[in-house]
Amino acid sequence: MESSKRDRVRGRLLALMPKGGVCAEIGVWEGNFSERILAETEPAELHLIDPWLYQPEFGNTGFGRKKNEHLMEEKYLSVVEKFRSDARVKIHRAMSEAALETLPDGTLDWVYIDGNHNEPFINQDLEICLRKVKPDGIIAGDDFNWQSDNLGAPVKRAVEAVVTLLGPRAELQVMANQYIIRLKRG
């Protein structure tokens, strides 16, 4: 099967993530990228975070499109089934803020953010991840250049604000639409 440019770039991103770590994926949808995370980074623990909730107020997202209104439970159950025999996988059916708050600060080696790209949600995810990820960990994510009607590029704005705030304690790498923030706070 021919892989898309997005798949290839995500593969390059995963190759840069530490192996055997504790990590989280925010925005799981059907768990396809979760499978790649498991196969390519061999984490000790993977937290899958997604509310699998139809939110029509976000019509600019997959989870806000009318066509997906009745598919959320099906997607959730499919992910549960897909990973039920893998003890490394912890599934959190909750909004990212609530799920992340259940994890102790400074325990994640890395996180991949692909949840709600709208403001203030992307900003909140980044802010909370700064606490949950180890001082020398990685915050990565998807849709760096995502554009929303009249909103510009909220992911890019939020990521660049975090990097600016941290100054020399962070390094940003962008690969197509993927971003990696390497923290240097230790």
Side-chain angles (χ1 to χ4, degrees):
M1 181 172 116
E2 183 75 23
S3 68
S4 68
K5 178 184 179 187
R6 180 178 189 232
D7 287 340
R8 291 189 301 275
V9 173
R10 280 178 145 191
R12 291 200 336 256
L13 179 140
L14 287 176
L16 298 173
M17 297 301 111
K19 295 236 189 286
V22 175
C23 56
E25 178 188 12
I26 299 170
V28 176
W29 197 242
E30 295 172 337
N32 297 330
F33 190 58
S34 314
E35 290 178 307
R36 286 191 70 183
I37 291 171
L38 287 166
E40 296 174 36
T41 71
E42 302 167 1
E45 199 169 278
L46 172 58
H47 294 271
L48 299 181
I49 300 169
D50 196 307
W52 288 282
L53 176 68
Y54 173 60
Q55 296 176 280
E57 65 272 28
F58 301 112
N60 60 355
T61 68
F63 55 85
R65 289 194 188 101
K66 183 76 173 152
K67 69 177 186 174
N68 293 321
E69 179 177 5
H70 301 291
L71 298 178
M72 296 304 170
E73 189 68 17
E74 181 182 313
K75 289 182 185 303
Y76 166 69
L77 293 173
S78 170
V79 168
V80 168
E81 179 61 25
K82 189 179 283 194
F83 300 109
R84 74 178 160 77
S85 63
D86 195 328
R88 300 172 297 170
V89 176
K90 315 294 181 210
I91 298 174
H92 304 262
R93 187 176 190 179
M95 301 300 270
S96 55
E97 181 179 9
L100 287 167
E101 290 301 347
T102 68
L103 304 175
D105 288 356
T107 56
L108 294 174
D109 292 291
W110 64 278
V111 65
Y112 184 82
I113 302 173
D114 191 15
N116 190 335
H117 301 328
N118 291 289
E119 293 168 326
F121 306 99
I122 180 61
N123 312 70
Q124 290 171 352
D125 284 347
L126 287 164
E127 182 182 319
I128 295 169
C129 286
L130 284 172
R131 284 190 286 115
K132 302 304 171 179
V133 173
K134 293 177 180 176
D136 60 347
I138 295 171
I139 299 174
D142 194 15
D143 297 316
F144 183 75
N145 297 300
W146 180 77
Q147 298 280 323
S148 181
D149 298 340
N150 304 319
L151 300 175
V155 175
K156 181 177 183 178
R157 253 194 324 275
V159 167
E160 289 177 344
V162 164
V163 172
T164 298
L165 176 72
L166 292 173
R169 297 178 302 149
E171 175 186 295
L172 176 62
Q173 178 180 359
V174 178
M175 298 183 297
N177 227 6
Q178 307 294 305
Y179 64 89
I180 299 171
I181 303 170
R182 285 186 183 79
L183 300 174
K184 301 174 179 187
R185 303 175 296 174

